[in-house]
Every structure is written in structure tokens, then in C-alpha cells.
Amino acid sequence: MPASAPMPVLPEITVSLSELVPPRCRHYFNHRSGRPHYRTRRYDFGSSPQYMPLVRAFLNACAAGQDEDYRFVFTLLGSELANNAVHHSKSGERFGFYTLRCVRRRDGLHLTCRDEGAKRTHTRGKTDSHYLTADPAGLDLDAESGRGLALVDALATDWGDNGFTGHRQVWFFLAYDLTGSRWNDPR
């Protein structure tokens, strides 16, 4: 059959997301695995938003050993970075992917999301510099966009990006001690 032959219509099936994870990485997604603490953990995720439950399981497992509030905030912020990669970069296009890399430090977790770059590469190249900023109105109840980075800006201890539109790396650091965090602010 020639390479240009059309793909036949195949039946739709439901496959557990855990079937897509290689056995050597399954403990990355189980915060109760009993595996020893790690220094660095990374995983490549596919372009579909349907992988978000797997992303959240990965993030929750990265924060294993911390209290429920910490795991929630870390997973929320990491999910925002992953969603931005899917919706605002080539990582969300067919055959795209993005990588989440978590580094365990003595005083907190550092997460980096590396995507495949801006969708419109004809205006910016790999060496173009454009740093992200949080929308100050992103946390307004009426805001229709800009909430993700606004949440990261409000709740992370520190955050930033590499400024490259070709392969952007957005990161945040969340200290284990959330005492001074806006997460605990009663307002």
C-alpha cells in the first residue's frame, strides 16, 4: 500500500492513561508508591488536554510527603504551566509534547515546563527574547484569560522563564513553608 494511502476509519477505544506510562516510570504517578525521595524527576507529556489527569497525578506524586495544602498548590500551579504549554505553544499541536521537570530542594520544589515554542515562528525565532509577565487583572473574578500566570505569580515563592519563544521554559519554585504565602491570606 503506498505511503499516501488514506488512513482507514478505526474504532474508538478507551485506554487507561496508566497504560501509556512505561513500567519504569509508573512510580512517578503514585504519591503512595513508597519509593525513596528523588532529586530530579522529568516526564514528557503528549499534546492532548486529555492527558491532564496524568499531569496532575505526576505533580501530586512529586509533592508526596508534603501536607495536603502544599500538594494542592503545587499541583494547581504545575497544571497551569502544562495547560499554557498545550494551549499557547506548538506543544498543543498534533505530535507535540512538553516536558515537566521537578527538582527537589532542601526548602521546596522547583518545577520547569519546557514547551516546543510559540505557534507563530515566522515572527520570532529561537533567539528572540520575550519574557512572560502576569496579567495584573488575571485574578479578577471577571477575567476571561490570564488567570494561569496570575495564579503562579500570586502563589509561587518565585517564578520566571527563559525568554526564548522558540523553546520556552517556564519555571516556579514553591517553598515547603506556605506560612507567608497568599494561599494562607484570609482576604
Side-chain angles (χ1 to χ4, degrees), residues 66-75 174 178 183-184:
Q66 301 305 312
D67 66 29
E68 188 176 336
D69 280 353
Y70 186 89
R71 285 193 327 269
F72 179 84
V73 173
F74 184 78
T75 301
L174 186 63
L178 295 178
W183 175 253
N184 292 322

Side-chain angles (χ1 to χ4, degrees), residues 35 59 71 78 158:
R35 300 278 296 217
L59 295 166
R71 285 193 327 269
D158 195 14

Side-chain angles (χ1 to χ4, degrees), residues 10-182:
L10 299 172
E12 288 190 28
I13 61 168
T14 302
V15 176
S16 170
L17 287 174
S18 62
E19 293 295 319
L20 303 175
V21 177
R24 65 178 164 59
C25 297
R26 295 223 168 123
H27 63 281
Y28 287 10
F29 301 90
N30 182 356
H31 73 277
R32 294 185 180 100
S33 68
R35 300 278 296 217
H37 291 294
Y38 61 92
R39 170 79 172 113
T40 301
R41 182 177 282 176
R42 73 176 281 283
Y43 198 80
D44 297 331
F45 293 91
S47 62
S48 175
Q50 294 177 338
Y51 289 114
M52 288 312 293
L54 195 59
V55 169
R56 286 189 285 277
F58 173 81
L59 295 166
N60 193 35
C62 285
Q66 301 305 312
D67 66 29
E68 188 176 336
D69 280 353
Y70 186 89
R71 285 193 327 269
F72 179 84
V73 173
F74 184 78
T75 301
L76 172 70
L77 300 182
S79 297
E80 290 298 339
L81 296 188
N83 271 314
N84 283 349
V86 169
H87 293 293
H88 302 296
S89 79
K90 289 188 286 187
S91 294
E93 295 174 358
R94 189 171 186 197
F95 304 116
F97 71 95
Y98 58 95
T99 302
L100 294 180
R101 181 175 180 262
C102 183
V103 177
R104 181 180 296 276
R105 295 187 177 164
R106 180 182 40 80
D107 55 346
L109 296 178
H110 186 278
L111 184 78
T112 302
C113 179
R114 183 178 192 266
D115 66 35
E116 293 189 79
K119 289 184 179 183
R120 292 180 204 94
T121 56
H122 63 277
T123 58
R124 292 199 167 110
K126 287 185 179 183
T127 58
D128 285 342
S129 185
H130 172 73
Y131 290 95
L132 298 174
T133 57
D135 183 352
L139 296 180
D140 293 346
L141 295 177
D142 297 330
E144 293 185 22
S145 65
R147 290 179 186 262
L149 281 182
L151 276 172
V152 172
D153 186 51
L155 298 177
T157 308
D158 195 14
W159 77 278
D161 72 288
N162 65 350
F164 297 128
T165 58
H167 280 82
R168 188 170 304 275
Q169 294 184 46
V170 184
W171 60 270
F172 71 84
F173 174 74
L174 186 63
Y176 293 136
D177 183 7
L178 295 178
T179 306
S181 169
R182 286 185 66 183

